[in-house]
Amino acid sequence: IEDDNPVIFMEQNVKQANVHPLTRQLTICALLAALGTVLGILSIPLPAVSAAGYSLKIGITVLPVILAAVLYGPAYGGIVGMVVDLLPALLFPKGPWIPWFTLIGALFGVIPGLFFQRGQAVTWKRLLLSIAAGQIFCSVLCNTLLLMALYGLPYQIVYVRLLNQAIMIPVYTAAVFGTVKLLKKGGFI
């Protein structure tokens, strides 16, 4: 057998597969939702950076949500965001399920997806702007207000959350930009 390289074999099958585009989109979104669920377990708390009992947490759970939004638009991004929030709550509950967090999880995908809903090219600038808009609105504003309302945390946690996003927005942008380029190069999208 000449072609025993599995990567070349897989690329040829992906390009030649007679699969309906909707089936491909749904399959990729399901895989991204599963990946987001697994990545949610891997968040790293940093207790050295805290404010009033709230400590900074570094995680990449939102990466698959943003990727689904960039590739397929706000509806797919929102659905993946909801699933990524809902699955861990069902499979690994750490407290009561709060639907407001699931709604915000959907917005993590909807907002960046709005920047790509007409199939615009994935440029570094557009991607950075879309991710910054989603993270600032959802994480810094909505999640902070919800944490303050539900748990009585002081407003000073917004500074820790801003610091978190100042670090994570460029990381998310670089990771999604690189992933999209690799997927295009491999012929997967």
Side-chain angles (χ1 to χ4, degrees):
I1 297 176
E2 298 173 13
D3 296 328
D4 51 339
N5 184 340
V7 174
I8 292 172
F9 178 74
M10 189 171 80
E11 285 179 7
Q12 289 172 346
N13 281 344
V14 167
K15 291 177 184 174
Q16 296 172 357
N18 188 15
V19 178
H20 192 278
L22 180 60
T23 304
R24 183 180 303 237
Q25 289 176 352
L26 290 173
T27 303
I28 291 172
C29 286
L31 290 170
L32 289 171
L35 179 62
T37 301
V38 171
L39 291 175
I41 300 168
L42 304 176
S43 296
I44 303 167
L46 299 174
V49 183
S50 64
Y54 177 82
S55 63
L56 182 67
K57 185 170 65 169
I58 301 293
I60 55 173
T61 306
V62 77
L63 271 177
V65 177
I66 296 170
L67 189 57
V70 168
L71 294 177
Y72 303 118
Y76 285 98
I79 292 168
V80 171
M82 288 178 70
V83 171
V84 167
D85 183 79
L86 197 56
L87 270 181
L90 294 172
L91 299 175
F92 318 108
K94 295 179 183 174
W97 173 68
I98 300 170
W100 297 111
F101 284 119
T102 304
L103 178 62
I104 295 169
L107 289 175
F108 273 112
V110 169
I111 293 171
L114 291 172
F115 287 77
F116 297 97
Q117 69 181 353
R118 293 196 178 121
Q120 291 93 336
V122 180
T123 63
W124 180 265
K125 185 178 177 181
R126 181 180 291 274
L127 191 59
L128 179 65
L129 184 62
S130 71
I131 291 172
Q135 293 301 111
I136 291 169
F137 181 75
C138 295
S139 183
V140 176
L141 183 65
C142 294
N143 275 346
T144 301
L145 290 173
L146 196 54
L147 289 169
M148 289 168 51
L150 291 174
Y151 304 113
L153 294 176
Y155 74 92
Q156 288 89 350
I157 66 168
V158 76
Y159 302 124
V160 175
R161 297 180 70 77
L162 277 170
L163 174 64
N164 185 3
Q165 292 310 313
I167 296 166
M168 296 310 293
I169 288 171
V171 170
Y172 294 152
T173 303
V176 172
F177 189 75
T179 303
V180 169
K181 283 184 82 170
L182 285 173
L183 289 173
K184 283 185 179 180
K185 185 178 178 182
F188 294 101
I189 57 170

